């Protein structure tokens, strides 16, 4: 355990000495679209995950982070019930319709227009769409545990121990 803390400290100190931006990232630095105008493409749900009905899903990628570790997409789905595996951390905001969610721990919640929810990467949830649902999804690849610890430590050192959210 001690060696992990020492390694995380060394990584954090090294990261602290590197400037925030060495060079401007390649690609776009600002992306804006009307969510209703993004072209949605069919993204079939794995047939083994479908519990009932014939849910039809579509996705439109809005933007992707320069490091390929995050993306934002618009997703919609017609009526049906299915299980869904979240390979990435995902925060969703329902834009239209509603969905009935049952998490792995048995927590049940109906999400409707304006609701926001978070699903941790590596988990399953059951989705029941009675009519239609449309969401914006903010996805982020989770860091491996040692890297996440080093990243948090670096942020604590940079922020003098303050853990607030900056705008």
């Amino acid at each position: 355990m001690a060696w992990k803390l020492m390694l995380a400290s060394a990584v954090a100190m090294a990261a602290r000495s590197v400037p925030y931006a060495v060079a401007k990232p390649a690609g776009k630095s600002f992306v804006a679209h009307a969510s209703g105008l993004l072209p949605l493409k069919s993204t079939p749900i794995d047939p083994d995950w479908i519990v009932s009905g014939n849910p039809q899903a579509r996705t439109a990628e809005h933007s992707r982070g320069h490091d390929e570790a995050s993306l934002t997409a618009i997703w919609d789905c017609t009526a049906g019930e299915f299980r869904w595996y979240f390979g990435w951390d995902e925060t969703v905001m329902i834009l239209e319709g509603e969905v009935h969610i049952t998490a792995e721990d048995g927590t049940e919640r109906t999400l409707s227009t304006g609701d926001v929810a978070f699903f941790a990467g590596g988990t399953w949830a059951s989705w029941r769409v009675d009519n239609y649902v449309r969401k914006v999804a903010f996805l982020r690849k989770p860091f491996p545990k040692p890297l996440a610890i080093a990243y948090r430590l670096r942020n604590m050192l940079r922020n003098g121990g303050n853990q607030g959210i900056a705008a």
Side-chain angles (χ1 to χ4, degrees):
M1 180 65 180
W3 69 268
K4 288 183 181 178
L5 185 56
M6 288 174 30
L7 177 61
S9 296
V11 169
M13 294 304 284
R16 190 173 188 192
S17 66
V18 175
Y20 280 104
V22 175
K24 285 189 176 185
K28 297 178 181 177
S29 61
F30 176 73
V31 179
H33 294 99
S35 66
L37 298 179
L38 288 169
L40 293 159
K41 297 178 184 168
S42 177
T43 50
I45 297 168
D46 185 323
D48 293 337
W49 298 358
I50 297 174
V51 175
S52 66
N54 184 26
Q56 299 296 307
R58 301 179 304 166
T59 306
E61 185 175 306
H62 172 269
S63 54
R64 187 175 289 265
H66 298 294
D67 61 1
E68 298 288 320
S70 62
L71 72 92
T72 303
I74 302 296
W75 181 89
D76 74 355
C77 187
T78 60
E81 186 173 354
F82 50 91
R83 290 183 34 78
W84 191 265
Y85 179 75
F86 293 88
W88 294 24
D89 288 345
E90 183 172 335
T91 300
V92 303
M93 181 174 200
I94 305 301
L95 299 174
E96 183 181 341
E98 68 178 24
V99 58
H100 305 277
I101 304 288
T102 304
E104 284 181 313
D105 67 3
T107 303
E108 294 182 30
R109 177 74 193 264
T110 298
L111 302 176
S112 55
T113 303
D115 289 341
V116 177
F118 172 78
F119 299 90
T123 63
W124 287 88
S126 294
W127 286 55
R128 190 184 87 228
V129 178
D130 292 335
N131 296 304
Y132 174 79
V133 68
R134 181 181 180 90
K135 70 178 183 179
V136 60
F138 306 96
L139 297 102
R140 183 185 68 81
K141 287 183 186 175
F143 288 124
K145 197 84 158 169
L147 187 56
I149 291 168
Y151 185 75
R152 283 189 204 112
L153 183 57
R154 182 208 64 172
N155 286 344
M156 282 191 337
L157 292 170
R158 280 189 176 166
N159 297 329
N162 295 329
Q163 291 294 318
I165 298 175

